[in-house]
Amino acid sequence: MQFLYSLTCQCMALKIIYLESLPLLPQALEVVMKRSTHFIMYIIVIAFVQVPASAQEHFDPVEPTGQPFAVIVDSAFHGEAMLVAGDEIGIFAPYEFEYICVGAAIVDGNYPIPMTAWEADERNGFPGFDRWEDLNFHIWIADEEIEYHCEVDRELDPWGPYMMVNLHTTTYLGHFTLDRWGGQPFAMVVNNASFDFEPLGEGDEIGVFVYTIENELACIGAEVTNGDYPFAMTIWLGNPELINLNTVFFRTWIDEIEEEFECVSEWEDEWGWDGPFREVSIYSYSELEDQLTLNGNRWNLLSFPYDPLTPELEFLAPLIDHFVILQHDEGGIYIDEEINTINAIDISEGYRIFVEEESSLEYSGRVINPALEIEIEGNRINWIPFPFAYGLPTEQALEAIADDIEILLNDAGEFWIPGLINTMPFMLPGEGYMVFSHTDLNFHYNFNAEQNGTSIAQPTVQTDFALDAPEPTGLPYVILVKNDSDLIAAGAATIEALDGNQGVGKSLILEDDHYTPIVTWQGDPVHELTGYTSGNRIELIVRDGEGKPLNNQLEVSGSGKFGDLPYAEFTINTLSSHSIPVEFTVSPTFPNPFNPSVSIDISLPAAAKVSFIVTDILGRELYRTQQHKNAGLHRFSFDSNALELSSGLY
């Protein structure tokens, strides 16, 4: 064969009809030599001898086009072993917008293996390969019933009179099928590939897709992962005039569940398609159905355990008959399509929603990255989400920022004040939370129970303190009352918080020398919800087991207004016998001047009826109350808003 090739290069005239195989060369070669006194002309005629093709079992090549090309497979390996009888070899090339088989043969165990690849005959419309495109090879292993792509080592000039190749199987193409493969190979480095935030494992697959200029989808690369990252894969760009590289996207095949998923990709290089290769990270997610339960006629704090597939709020449409409003903590609202300043759900934000009756909110979404970053703005109440599909102990979830949190609450009135008291054992999927911090914070939830080497124990919580609580409005405010060591012995059983004469929260005293939390509920006149009014003064009444007030035997320290601070703190101490005042005194009013409320403290050496009267500067009586008070210290408070008083002296 080498002699023949050398000879043809020296010929003044050469005609090669076809060479099918080396074993048939003696029968196919006819050399006619004609001499002349002026020159020697060699006319070499290589007669075309058609080798009967074995019947193909797996590959389906094109019909003969009349333009054959000889391919000699010198060796073909699968792993360390050569292909055996019954295995198949297919030759592939791009044709127009398809990836077609242009030749195939069944291995009989003998090497080299002669094959025919059929060149396209565009004039007569016969499909085949283009002389300027690379040929690619697949191997079918009969025992495994699996198709593989091959690495190709070409021994001779691929576009000489024939092609001689050595093949070795590489990539498994079990799921994705390359629609357009050929032309220019391009290296792509996959730095990470994950499904629901877990790395793709052995047997999972990645397919690379692109749209042609005719808007048809084509697969230009595929690879099976082995769990190691980064790894390189080859994609085939073909004719850049026929594909739109701006439309490149990825799909993953998850072997364990045998499902295909679309991907989100992040290119991590600077040079784009003009560089030597591209780097990418690929993320795919399962699509899940979720249902959130909303309490009727109250505010609900909520978040989304899955990232909604339609974040533009269309999924709220089924609630239209009893939906009122959706809000986030920066003032955005959604009432309907015309009144919408939220626009789309942001899974890193918390929301509150008001519905007129108990409802279920259904939507479809994808799993959310546990490393999602949450932002908290300092010195105000923030609504934050817990956007995950399973719960965490509260103290574990927020371990990283526990030192910076003043208080965390949910719409059921559960709360956590780090280092002080915890009535919220877990943060739960779909719940939203109110949190206050004096500093700006960026954090993500701690899903590692032994982060930084410290084990997080199950939380110790206090949950049985609420007593005859008012109807929750979804807008809680916490009051902490520090009890002294003799409070229960003095007969104290409950503490009630009032806004004026309205009870807004009540709790059972569980222990002496301990904190008693009172969860109070803010009213909402717009939605006819009763409760405290933000900014009004907090009043506390301590009662015994029969409901009788005990304040005349106690000293209540602390004052505050609803909503002024992240939470309010009071201290209650019992009065011993030597603490009983020896004379009647009236302390100065405070504050003075006042607007709108004022308080006066009095001391009584003995039980008495006490009248509290407000008059104007002319002595006209404007307000009067008379109460029986036991010996001790007492406080009277007056709110001028009730009488709509104008500025002046009283």
Side-chain angles (χ1 to χ4, degrees), residues 82-213:
M82 296 188 74
L83 269 60
V84 298
D87 296 336
E88 297 183 42
I89 300 173
I91 306 173
F92 287 79
Y95 176 74
E96 293 183 351
F97 296 104
E98 298 182 44
Y99 183 62
I100 63 173
C101 180
V102 297
I106 295 180
V107 177
D108 62 6
N110 297 315
Y111 291 88
I113 302 171
M115 298 184 66
T116 300
W118 296 100
E119 185 177 355
D121 181 354
E122 296 184 1
R123 177 178 298 178
N124 295 305
F126 295 137
F129 71 88
D130 186 328
R131 277 277 178 169
W132 304 108
E133 296 275 9
D134 287 336
L135 295 177
N136 301 281
F137 294 79
H138 292 195
I139 285 176
W140 170 259
I141 303 300
D143 287 346
E144 300 179 8
E145 295 186 350
I146 293 177
E147 181 180 330
Y148 292 84
H149 172 49
C150 300
E151 290 182 350
V152 182
D153 177 21
R154 294 171 173 84
E155 293 185 359
L156 296 175
D157 180 355
W159 301 124
Y162 64 95
M163 176 190 293
M164 182 172 286
V165 297
N166 296 285
L167 306 178
H168 197 294
T169 57
T170 55
T171 305
Y172 164 46
L173 298 178
H175 178 71
F176 296 113
T177 301
L178 289 167
D179 299 305
R180 180 171 182 79
W181 200 355
Q184 180 65 37
F186 188 87
M188 188 168 62
V189 176
V190 180
N191 289 327
N192 296 285
S194 65
F195 174 69
D196 285 349
F197 307 100
E198 294 293 333
L200 297 191
E202 186 172 353
D204 297 332
E205 300 181 41
I206 297 172
V208 186
F209 293 82
V210 70
Y211 280 96
T212 68
I213 58 173

Side-chain angles (χ1 to χ4, degrees), residues 21-142:
S21 69
L22 292 178
L24 297 174
L25 182 60
Q27 296 91 338
L29 181 61
E30 177 186 338
V31 180
V32 179
M33 302 175 63
K34 294 185 178 180
R35 294 181 177 273
S36 169
T37 57
H38 301 291
F39 60 88
I40 298 175
M41 176 181 293
Y42 298 94
I43 300 177
I44 302 176
V45 179
I46 304 174
F48 171 65
V49 181
Q50 175 71 49
V51 176
S54 303
Q56 277 69 47
E57 297 292 337
H58 179 71
F59 297 112
D60 184 19
V62 297
E63 295 295 327
T65 66
Q67 301 188 63
F69 178 71
V71 177
I72 311 300
V73 179
D74 201 26
S75 65
F77 284 87
H78 176 52
E80 300 298 324
M82 296 188 74
L83 269 60
V84 298
D87 296 336
E88 297 183 42
I89 300 173
I91 306 173
F92 287 79
Y95 176 74
E96 293 183 351
F97 296 104
E98 298 182 44
Y99 183 62
I100 63 173
C101 180
V102 297
I106 295 180
V107 177
D108 62 6
N110 297 315
Y111 291 88
I113 302 171
M115 298 184 66
T116 300
W118 296 100
E119 185 177 355
D121 181 354
E122 296 184 1
R123 177 178 298 178
N124 295 305
F126 295 137
F129 71 88
D130 186 328
R131 277 277 178 169
W132 304 108
E133 296 275 9
D134 287 336
L135 295 177
N136 301 281
F137 294 79
H138 292 195
I139 285 176
W140 170 259
I141 303 300

Side-chain angles (χ1 to χ4, degrees), residues 281-294:
S281 289
I282 302 165
Y283 311 100
S284 55
Y285 311 94
S286 53
E287 297 179 4
L288 301 168
E289 301 295 324
D290 191 35
Q291 179 176 291
L292 302 177
T293 300
L294 305 176

Side-chain angles (χ1 to χ4, degrees), residues 297-299 322-325 352-356 527 529:
N297 198 38
R298 54 166 284 188
W299 286 100
H322 38 268
F323 170 80
V324 177
I325 189 171
R352 73 177 187 180
I353 188 172
F354 194 98
V355 291
E356 294 175 333
H527 299 103
L529 303 180

Side-chain angles (χ1 to χ4, degrees), residues 58 79 128 175-176 201 222 233 268 306 310 339 517 523 593:
H58 179 71
H175 178 71
F176 296 113
M233 63 182 294
E268 299 173 355
Y306 303 103
T310 54
I339 306 176

